[in-house]
Amino acid sequence: MPGGLVRVAPDSKTVRVSNQRGGTSKDFWVVGDQIVKEDKNKNWEQKSAIALSGLDDLPSLTAENLFWAGRYVGRTLVNARFIRTVMRQMAMMQNRDEKPDSIKIQVLLKAVTHMTGTYPGFSEKTKEGTPAMDNPYEEMLSVIRDKDRVGSLAHTIGMFSNSYYSIRNLWSSDMWRVFENIQKLWQSFQEEENPSILRILKVLNQLITRLIAFMGLIEESIMVQQGLLLYFIGLQLEQSMLTITKCRSLLAVKYDTQVEYDLLEYLLTSHESLNIYRYSYRSYIQLEHVLDLVITDVEYAGSLTFMIKRLQKDIARLPHSRKDQQLTNYQKYVFSAFSKLRLSDSSKLSLTKSKNDVVRQELDILLEELSDLLYKTSQSITGTYFNHTDRQTQMFTQSFPI
């Protein structure tokens, strides 16, 4: 065999091999006992008899790597932007060891824990009994730089690097340069012993800019037939799920007028939607208008409804989706999510049941249901196309051949 790629575990003790568990791909060669003589009559310009026609012929391992590449780059970008917003507010505190006494800062810090999944974090007391809220800077530093902490920005960047390196054969030279710049930036930052908040903000700005450049190059460098569709599905799915978590963390509970205004502004800023809001509404920031823009708007590319509509369109092009007129499970989940959004009313979502009630139950229930549906979508896509167990390998070779 002239050469190929195999999946390799991070260490010899790991039995199950996957990108999510730190696995990578490496070149593999089978060497014969005798020297193979060159066939002078072979026409090297002759095309292979087996031509890749599109997604139906895409190897399942490549498809999985592209799907998770989209998810990890989306997770890295959204979390980096939100962490940057929080660090800007922390920079306004008198000293970094100060315990945050304002409600809005506490809400932002708890939202960081929910979005990154770095529990217990700011949501509750640690095992030692000391709340992370007593020393927010140290907890934020861990959320940003601890590569061994699942959900941290450093850990997510590591998974982002692993997933993209596994599909490096699809990269352009510009993608390599930007990818190496991201690695150098983060490695240099990790080597610093005690970075200031201003230094962290500078690194986050540089990281976000390079991630956006990298994402733009992906669309230029990879064709749809090579699996770009899987990348978009992973990206839209991850961004949708994180948007739901962010909105639920900041908007589901009702606060005083000034606190609510600040939280709405933080949400729009971290979502890169503040200028669009000002252009569209040209008014005082109001919850109902924010819900219209970020959640229910059909035309705005950053809204939850738009992203799920795009997701619905993309998954309809997957191999199993085109076999008959029946919807697959993952299509049903996305269709249900899109229907719930189209039937929702932002004026009702912004209300509480009574004046004494502090939870916007209709909004909270909607976001919870959407989160559950998108999680089921991810599980269904994974189970249909990316299950590599021996018993089910034959089942999925007709979808994405292994």
Side-chain angles (χ1 to χ4, degrees), residues 109-111 113-114 118-125 132-133 139:
L109 293 174
K110 290 179 180 179
T113 299
H114 295 313
T118 51
Y119 296 101
F122 294 105
S123 62
E124 56 184 305
K125 293 184 178 181
M133 205 71 75
E139 174 65 17

Side-chain angles (χ1 to χ4, degrees), residues 61-320:
L61 182 57
T62 302
E64 181 182 17
N65 288 333
L66 282 162
F67 174 78
W68 281 102
R71 292 201 62 171
Y72 283 127
V73 74
R75 189 178 305 177
T76 305
L77 179 62
V78 174
N79 283 342
R81 280 176 167 170
F82 190 75
I83 290 172
R84 179 179 62 179
T85 300
V86 176
M87 294 303 292
R88 283 175 179 169
Q89 302 310 311
M90 290 184 64
M92 298 179 184
M93 298 169 63
Q94 293 184 357
N95 61 77
R96 66 186 189 186
D97 296 325
E98 178 183 357
K99 181 178 179 179
D101 54 0
S102 63
I103 296 177
K104 61 183 181 182
I105 297 296
Q106 293 178 7
V107 173
L108 284 176
L109 293 174
K110 290 179 180 179
V112 169
T113 299
H114 295 313
M115 290 190 65
T116 59
T118 51
Y119 296 101
F122 294 105
S123 62
E124 56 184 305
K125 293 184 178 181
T126 62
K127 293 181 180 180
E128 291 75 17
T130 303
M133 205 71 75
D134 286 345
N135 196 341
Y137 177 78
E138 291 300 323
E139 174 65 17
M140 286 299 297
L141 203 59
S142 173
V143 169
I144 295 171
R145 299 216 305 173
D146 189 350
K147 62 181 181 180
D148 296 323
R149 186 174 185 180
V150 177
S152 70
L153 188 59
H155 182 270
T156 303
I157 290 176
M159 302 306 292
F160 153 78
S161 301
N162 288 340
S163 62
Y164 275 94
Y165 194 74
S166 299
I167 53 172
R168 60 192 181 278
N169 59 309
L170 303 177
W171 291 11
S172 66
S173 57
D174 285 337
M175 285 182 67
W176 273 109
R177 280 190 284 271
V178 177
F179 182 80
E180 289 174 355
N181 286 336
I182 293 174
Q183 302 305 310
K184 289 178 181 178
L185 170 69
W186 195 253
Q187 184 177 357
S188 175
F189 174 61
Q190 288 286 63
E191 292 172 355
E192 298 179 22
E193 291 187 4
N194 195 17
S196 64
I197 292 181
L198 294 179
R199 171 59 181 161
I200 294 174
L201 286 172
K202 182 178 179 180
V203 171
L204 289 175
N205 286 333
Q206 293 173 329
L207 174 65
I208 290 167
T209 302
R210 295 176 190 186
L211 281 172
I212 294 172
F214 189 78
M215 293 169 69
L217 289 169
I218 292 172
E219 298 184 39
E220 293 182 1
S221 306
I222 304 176
M223 299 175 64
V224 173
Q225 294 90 333
Q226 292 176 300
L228 183 62
L229 182 66
L230 275 300
Y231 160 80
F232 279 129
I233 291 174
L235 177 63
Q236 298 295 332
L237 189 61
E238 189 68 29
Q239 289 184 325
S240 299
M241 294 174 76
L242 288 175
T243 298
I244 291 171
T245 302
K246 179 162 54 178
C247 290
R248 195 177 181 191
S249 300
L250 299 182
L251 306 181
V253 178
K254 183 179 179 180
Y255 299 99
D256 293 339
T257 304
Q258 185 58 49
V259 173
E260 286 227 329
Y261 182 89
D262 290 337
L263 291 176
L264 290 173
E265 185 174 354
Y266 298 152
L267 173 65
L268 292 172
T269 300
S270 66
H271 205 66
E272 289 297 317
S273 303
L274 184 58
N275 289 335
I276 295 175
Y277 178 90
R278 289 170 175 168
Y279 175 82
S280 301
Y281 296 96
R282 306 188 183 191
S283 66
Y284 184 85
I285 299 179
Q286 301 177 35
L287 174 61
E288 186 175 336
H289 292 163
V290 172
L291 292 175
D292 280 333
L293 181 66
V294 177
I295 294 182
T296 63
D297 197 308
V298 182
E299 302 297 330
Y300 174 45
S303 79
L304 183 60
T305 300
F306 184 96
M307 288 187 283
I308 292 182
K309 180 182 178 181
R310 170 69 183 272
L311 180 62
Q312 186 180 26
K313 178 182 177 181
D314 286 345
I315 65 173
R317 299 171 63 186
L318 292 174
H320 273 302

